[in-house]
Amino acid sequence: MAGLEVDLLAPDAGEDNPKRRVPGEEGTWIFIFGDMCVFAVFFCVFLQARISDPSGFAADQAQLNQNYGALNTVLLLLSSFLVVLAMRSIRSADHHSWTPRLLIGAWFCGAGFLGVKVLEYSEKISHGITPQTSDFYMYYFVLTGLHAFHLILGLIVLTVMVLMARKASLSRGQFVFFEGGACFWHMVDLLWLVLFPLIFLVR
Amino acid sequence: MSTLDTNARSTINLFRSKATVVWVFLILATVLSWALGTDHGFVDDHTTASTIIMVVAFVKVRFVGLYFMELNHAPLALRLLLEVWCLVVCLATLGFYFAA
């Protein structure tokens, strides 16, 4: 922890610490909120397409396995929580050595999400269901595919974070990257928290 | 105090935060949404169930933003971006849903 400046520890100094600061780089937040706005448009485009054929969308949705979607939600929530613990541990002198293990746990939860997604896609394709099958399935494959692409980027970021966390201390720049990477991973989780209900549950 | 006690206390300290409580809430909310969306719930009407599911989703997003991304400690402008995103996107999706 010798490489960390004191002000970087501010969020961990106490839940009621009034000091306000931007987690990660400011540029990271432009990217995160930009991405969130792009997905917000996708959510609306999907629901607008549903207006013209709600019964067709419901019939196609009934063929989805909601249990896969729910399992993936739990995997991403667990993964995000492990990243939260990793952020707490890297700021703590007592738990600094836990950080790589917590991040590796988060990485495997993310990889588990991808595994379930591959299983889900392969089941659909084996039943002859592709993006050309219907409007619903076009949106299903495009939206979940775009999300999976973000998740793969997130896994790369987590890998870099694991390598950084193995160092005895981080420079200020490395710590800021670390915080930004954690926030990016939470964004991947956050987008799925809307995509899952919209595509799998809302009728 | 034994080393074992110290380690146990140290581990508990890592988990002792609002984020842990939020995580338990997020899991319970996910189970609720899954139950409502798969007819295991206590609401028979699809429209009511779907409305609850969508509102719960954006409440979950807000909690992830505030407690996982630590935006509750961020400057007001950044926190407001999250709050506005949740409110506007929730209202927009509900609007498109009810237009069907």
Side-chain angles (χ1 to χ4, degrees), chain A residues 93-168:
Chain A
D94 289 345
H95 304 102
H96 192 78
S97 62
W98 291 32
T99 313
R101 279 175 279 176
L102 289 164
L103 290 173
I104 288 169
W107 193 96
F108 275 104
C109 289
F113 179 101
L114 271 188
V116 172
K117 192 56 64 190
V118 168
L119 185 67
E120 201 182 317
Y121 283 172
S122 55
E123 272 189 15
K124 289 284 159 283
I125 291 166
S126 69
H127 287 96
I129 296 169
T130 67
Q132 282 87 40
T133 302
S134 64
D135 275 356
F136 175 85
Y137 276 110
M138 191 272 287
Y139 285 110
Y140 163 79
F141 279 106
V142 169
L143 292 180
T144 58
L146 264 177
H147 178 263
F149 173 70
H150 280 75
L151 191 128
I152 291 167
L153 288 182
L155 287 177
I156 295 168
V157 172
L158 281 183
T159 307
V160 177
M161 288 166 70
V162 170
L163 297 175
M164 286 168 66
R166 285 187 170 154
K167 293 182 177 180

Side-chain angles (χ1 to χ4, degrees), chain A residues 20-21 88 91 95 203, chain B residues 10 14 34 70 73-74 97:
Chain A
R20 297 195 166 273
R21 54 183 291 282
R88 285 176 67 79
R91 289 175 180 137
H95 304 102
R203 285 173 286 178
Chain B
S10 170
L14 188 65
W34 170 84
E70 298 177 351
H73 292 296
Y97 172 72

Side-chain angles (χ1 to χ4, degrees), chain A residues 11 14-23 29 32-33 36-37 39-40 43-45 47-48 50-51 54 66-67 70 73-74 77-81 84-85 87-89 91-92 94-95 98 102 179 182-184 186-187 189-191 193-194 196-198 200-203, chain B residues 7 9-21 23 26-27 30-31 33-34 36-39 46-47 49-51 53-54 57-58 60-62 64-65 67-76 78-79 81-83 85 89 92-100:
Chain A
E15 295 280 348
D16 301 321
N17 191 321
K19 188 172 180 182
R20 297 195 166 273
R21 54 183 291 282
V22 176
W29 287 99
I32 287 176
F33 275 109
M36 284 169 66
C37 289
F39 267 89
F43 301 152
C44 293
V45 168
L47 287 170
Q48 193 193 24
R50 180 179 169 273
I51 293 173
Q66 278 89 355
N67 297 338
T73 307
V74 172
L77 284 175
L78 179 58
S79 172
S80 253
F81 185 56
V84 168
L85 294 179
M87 275 314 300
R88 285 176 67 79
S89 69
R91 289 175 180 137
S92 147
D94 289 345
H95 304 102
W98 291 32
L102 289 164
E179 271 192 326
C183 288
F184 179 79
H186 295 314
M187 182 202 72
D189 180 20
L190 178 154
L191 292 175
L193 290 181
V194 183
F196 166 56
L198 275 193
F200 287 75
L201 300 178
V202 166
R203 285 173 286 178
Chain B
N7 286 343
R9 185 165 296 193
S10 170
T11 307
I12 289 167
N13 280 341
L14 188 65
F15 286 86
R16 191 175 286 164
S17 77
K18 285 180 187 169
T20 305
V21 180
W23 183 74
L26 292 171
I27 293 290
T30 301
V31 173
S33 298
W34 170 84
L36 286 172
T38 52
D39 292 330
H46 283 174
T47 308
S50 297
T51 306
I53 288 167
M54 287 161 81
F58 287 99
K60 286 163 77 179
V61 166
R62 182 173 179 268
V64 168
Y67 295 99
F68 287 8
M69 292 172 155
E70 298 177 351
L71 291 182
N72 56 340
H73 292 296
L76 201 60
L78 194 55
R79 179 179 173 154
L81 267 180
L82 171 79
E83 304 277 11
W85 188 92
V89 183
T93 49
L94 282 173
F96 278 111
Y97 172 72
F98 281 107

